[in-house]
Amino acid sequence: MQDVSFLVVDDCQLVRNLVRNTLENRLGAENVYTATNGKEALELLNARSIDIIIADWQMPKMDGDELLRTIRKSDKHKLTPFIMMSSLGDKEHVLAAIQNGVSQYVMKPFSADKLEDAIHKSWNSANRRGAVRLSALPEHRVRIQTSNRKLAGIVKNISHTGMLIELTYSRELNLFNNYSIELDIFDLNHEGNMLIEPLYGVPVRLIAVEPSTSKANVCQMGIRFNREMLHETVKGKLDYLLKNLGQDSGDLIQDN
């Protein structure tokens, strides 16, 4: 989880250091931010891109429960994984955290294994939610820039996190390489064509398509967008596309 950014919120420096050490030494995290209470956490959340929040319940100024309720009302972080650390293990507190949208509840004191397990469960659950994609699309064509040429394909489904494309297989396609991608959208809402580029993405899955007489060596490739590399203009166009597809076409499917 090298590229995942964490925010650790606890008024106890010892706990903050223990959690930071777990994230850095066991998960390889390189982006770990800390705050001593909920108010400091909100300032960091407004200023930084945070993927996972790990917060104590009992803190001064703003406790973990109030922080959880506040961010679940925000557009930016309403779906961000939130792990609550607490010595309050009674049913009333656990149920309150669940009702307010906590992702995982970890009782203090906890082991590094327990915290790591909670992180993985929260992250995997968030990715499954984010991987709901839009299919039954109007015609979208995609071009992937390899070291030697551009490879053309068509989009099968797409979301904010990535897309599934179909194209003729080439040995130039390598899993986990970062590619520059051009996406052509044809006549969206009768407004004319739209070009979204450069999108940056990493192939994470490559599947051979059953061959036929007209489609030899065809494959489907799952690409996860590298959103940190995307220009704000590109993000805006992608958001606009997905908003319109959600309104006008597309069946929701789950990416397994």
Side-chain angles (χ1 to χ4, degrees):
M1 305 186 78
Q2 180 179 358
D3 298 326
V4 178
S5 58
F6 294 85
L7 173 58
V8 181
V9 192
D10 199 302
D11 58 322
C12 176
Q13 184 175 355
L14 176 61
V15 174
R16 293 197 306 272
N17 290 341
L18 287 172
V19 175
R20 177 193 283 274
N21 288 338
T22 299
L23 297 175
E24 293 177 345
N25 298 330
R26 296 182 65 125
L27 300 179
E30 295 184 352
N31 302 300
V32 181
Y33 305 96
T34 60
T36 61
N37 57 65
K39 287 190 175 182
E40 285 185 13
L42 288 178
E43 292 176 2
L44 275 167
L45 287 167
N46 289 328
R48 302 281 185 178
S49 175
I50 301 295
D51 296 311
I52 298 179
I53 302 165
I54 305 172
D56 186 31
W57 186 307
Q58 296 171 294
M59 295 181 292
K61 297 184 179 179
M62 178 185 284
D63 64 20
D65 184 56
E66 187 178 354
L67 173 63
L68 173 62
R69 286 185 281 112
T70 300
I71 69 167
R72 286 296 182 249
K73 294 176 184 177
S74 73
D75 291 332
K76 184 178 180 182
H77 289 292
K78 62 184 177 183
L79 298 178
T80 300
F82 190 114
I83 299 171
M84 185 77 80
M85 305 180 292
S86 180
S87 57
L88 304 171
D90 57 280
K91 184 178 179 181
E92 179 181 350
H93 282 92
V94 175
L95 287 177
I98 293 173
Q99 290 171 353
N100 290 331
V102 78
S103 304
Q104 293 287 317
Y105 196 96
V106 180
M107 284 293 301
K108 289 182 174 181
F110 51 81
S111 65
D113 287 337
K114 184 70 174 179
L115 178 60
E116 185 177 352
D117 181 61
I119 291 168
H120 282 302
K121 287 180 178 177
S122 299
W123 186 240
N124 291 338
S125 177
N127 280 339
R128 284 195 296 271
R129 287 196 305 269
V132 174
R133 300 172 187 272
L134 292 163
S135 62
L137 303 176
E139 185 179 9
H140 299 346
R141 294 177 185 170
V142 64
R143 292 178 294 274
I144 299 177
Q145 179 67 60
T146 68
S147 57
N148 298 317
R149 57 181 173 143
K150 290 183 179 179
L151 302 176
I154 59 171
V155 179
K156 304 298 290 185
N157 58 60
I158 189 168
S159 75
H160 285 93
T161 60
M163 59 184 171
L164 181 69
I165 68 173
E166 188 169 286
L167 73 168
T168 302
Y169 174 73
S170 169
R171 291 185 179 181
E172 296 176 61
L173 296 173
N174 296 306
L175 293 177
F176 310 117
N177 279 8
N178 195 52
Y179 291 101
S180 174
I181 303 165
E182 297 175 355
L183 178 59
D184 269 334
I185 297 94
F186 289 84
D187 200 24
L188 182 66
N189 290 342
H190 309 291
E191 297 176 4
N193 300 347
M194 179 168 66
L195 176 65
I196 303 179
E197 60 87 24
L199 285 164
Y200 294 99
V202 176
V204 294
R205 186 175 60 182
L206 194 62
I207 305 170
V209 174
E210 193 70 27
S212 66
T213 55
S214 60
K215 290 188 176 182
N217 300 323
V218 170
C219 66
Q220 288 188 349
M221 185 165 64
I223 296 176
R224 182 165 295 280
F225 294 140
N226 188 340
R227 288 189 66 90
E228 291 185 358
M229 293 182 64
L230 303 186
H231 189 274
E232 290 303 317
T233 302
V234 173
K235 289 181 182 179
K237 287 185 177 181
L238 184 60
D239 291 343
Y240 176 78
L241 169 65
L242 292 167
K243 179 181 178 181
N244 280 275
L245 291 177
Q247 292 173 347
D248 300 333
S249 67
D251 303 317
L252 289 177
I253 66 170
Q254 185 71 36
D255 182 29
N256 298 316

